[in-house]
Amino acid sequence: MNERTIINNIKKGDTVALSKAITLCESTLEAEQKIAQNIITALSGKSEKSIRIGITGVPGVGKSTFINSFGKMLTLKGKKVAVLAIDPTSEKTQGSILGDKSRMNELATDKNAFIRPSPSAGTLGGVANKSRENIILCEAAGFDVILIETVGVGQSETTVSNLVDFFLLLMLAGAGDELQGIKRGIMEMADAILINKADGNNVQKAKNAMLQYKSALHLFPPMQNGWIPQVNTCSALEKIGLEECWNLIEKHNKQMCVNGFFTENRKQQNNYWLHQQIKEELGNKKYTQLKTEGKLQALEEQLLNNEATIYQLLAAL
Ligand code: GDP
């Protein structure tokens, strides 16, 4: 499949072409990288109407089970759902392979879903930047909900929050340490916390944990966008609380569109990646120089007005 065919087929929603483009993005060969950049440039800014949702939590909390059930619920609503995974440490995190299709059986066989496992190890910035590109490709292929899975133990959440519109944190009740190694910073970023596995004997415990987290969240500073983070319980396995979760995400989406934060957030994110790419590809020295010369703002404006992609801006520097 050549470049033109890949671009045209992605526009038609062909997932074979989409996979091929993602593989090219993840390639370390310069020639393939170049093709990938051309594809992304051709498809950038075409469709940015999707909702991008980050899903995080410690291994075993039920991320895969949740994504499988939640994704399936969405495809039944007529949505096209893409699942991407970010794991900067390795493909394997304590036995759980992010985005592993076998753990998302129902969704993996759904023709309206697309699942892409985490690329193999790389720098966090690098892996996340690939995900940014993958989001562009998935959107161009017509996916309207993009779920980005990551493990909630490291620093990756900060980076993931720069990719998504809504950040969902999955937690467990009564797993010893109430914060389960989840750093306060991650909780502060969450637009919603869901206490998973609220089924069987665990229902009451989950409710208690929900109350605990609700009062903990009161102590956090309010979010700039006016959103009040929500805490609920759910059972990914028994498919309970998933509709409520989707309603919440839609409510958030509407609120952000009305108050202008949806666009503002994406603009800030694009700027973040522009700055990151300049630092990564041209070095800190060049970045500081551009900054002192006051040239970054002009680049940001070109990006905002869709006059150029990050690649084109970098190539012209
Ligand atoms: P991940 O590592 O976060 O992706 O977690 P998994 O989705 O692989 O789930 C880990 C284990 O928890 C599996 O054995 C699941 O069947 C189980 N699990 C996930 N969600 C639920 C739930 O809502 N209720 C119960 N009882 N078990 C669950």
Side-chain angles (χ1 to χ4, degrees):
M1 231 189 279
N2 67 24
E3 193 177 303
R4 188 65 12 228
T5 316
I6 295 178
I7 294 169
N8 288 336
N9 288 3
I10 288 180
K11 283 186 193 161
K12 288 182 208 150
D14 174 21
T15 48
V16 176
L18 177 61
S19 289
K20 177 77 189 152
I22 292 179
T23 305
L24 288 168
C25 278
E26 285 166 6
S27 164
T28 47
L29 298 175
E30 208 170 312
E32 298 198 333
Q33 270 288 317
K34 184 74 196 127
I35 300 173
Q37 292 182 9
N38 293 342
I39 295 172
I40 288 164
T41 300
L43 296 172
S44 284
K46 290 285 175 284
S47 162
E48 294 193 348
K49 293 199 186 79
S50 71
I51 300 188
R52 308 166 182 174
I53 305 166
I55 297 174
T56 196
V58 293
V61 72
K63 292 181 294 302
S64 303
T65 314
F66 180 86
I67 290 170
N68 185 51
S69 304
F70 191 68
K72 191 69 202 172
M73 177 191 79
L74 293 176
T75 60
L76 286 171
K77 287 182 192 294
K79 305 272 180 209
K80 284 186 74 184
V81 179
V83 180
L84 304 171
I86 297 188
D87 180 1
T89 49
S90 81
E91 264 188 74
K92 269 190 159 186
T93 303
Q94 297 179 21
S96 66
I97 303 163
L98 293 180
D100 179 2
K101 290 186 190 177
S102 66
R103 296 159 77 233
M104 299 179 190
N105 264 329
E106 268 179 284
L107 201 59
T109 52
D110 191 320
K111 66 174 178 24
N112 285 318
F114 175 78
I115 303 174
R116 183 77 184 192
S118 182
S120 43
T123 64
L124 172 60
V127 174
N129 188 45
K130 297 283 171 244
S131 304
R132 187 186 67 82
E133 295 170 347
N134 295 351
I135 290 172
I136 296 173
L137 296 170
C138 288
E139 287 181 351
F143 286 91
D144 13 53
V145 181
I146 321 263
L147 304 176
I148 298 160
E149 180 189 10
T150 187
V151 179
V153 287
Q155 230 208 310
S156 53
E157 292 67 34
T158 325
T159 314
V160 174
S161 73
N162 276 307
L163 291 169
V164 299
D165 306 311
F166 191 94
F167 202 71
L168 178 64
L169 175 60
L170 293 183
M171 309 232 10
L172 294 174
D177 170 19
E178 269 314 318
L179 293 187
Q180 298 163 56
I182 295 277
K183 298 205 176 66
R184 184 192 151 106
I186 298 177
M187 282 183 63
E188 278 184 4
M189 273 188 297
D191 295 299
I193 294 178
L194 278 185
I195 318 290
N196 191 31
K197 308 197 186 183
D199 45 45
N201 297 333
N202 209 27
V203 175
Q204 194 52 45
K205 257 203 274 178
K207 279 192 182 146
N208 294 344
M210 176 180 81
L211 295 175
Q212 238 171 330
Y213 285 117
K214 271 190 177 166
S215 55
L217 284 187
H218 276 307
L219 306 173
F220 289 179
M223 287 185 151
Q224 220 192 338
N225 59 17
W227 177 252
I228 299 165
Q230 303 290 311
V231 190
N232 276 318
T233 60
C234 76
S235 168
L237 200 62
E238 297 190 2
K239 301 182 169 55
I240 301 166
L242 306 184
E243 283 285 349
E244 288 80 352
C245 177
W246 177 241
N247 291 342
L248 198 65
I249 293 170
E250 285 203 305
K251 184 178 163 195
H252 175 272
N253 191 256
K254 266 196 205 121
Q255 197 174 315
M256 293 308 114
C257 285
V258 170
N259 70 13
F261 264 90
F262 185 86
T263 317
E264 179 59 26
N265 189 38
R266 289 214 174 166
K267 185 180 116 187
Q268 298 291 348
Q269 291 176 340
N270 284 338
N271 288 345
Y272 170 87
W273 291 108
L274 170 68
H275 291 220
Q276 286 297 110
Q277 283 291 93
I278 295 175
K279 285 183 210 163
E280 206 151 300
E281 302 217 352
L282 307 176
N284 275 327
K285 205 170 157 196
K286 179 75 180 172
Y287 176 76
T288 315
Q289 185 199 336
L290 290 167
K291 202 172 172 179
T292 16
E293 288 171 357
K295 288 192 176 149
L296 290 176
Q297 206 179 338
L299 297 175
E300 287 178 357
E301 267 165 36
Q302 279 178 278
L303 193 62
L304 177 67
N305 299 329
N306 272 329
E307 288 163 22
T309 62
I310 293 183
Y311 289 130
Q312 289 169 322
L313 292 174
L314 254 74
L317 284 174

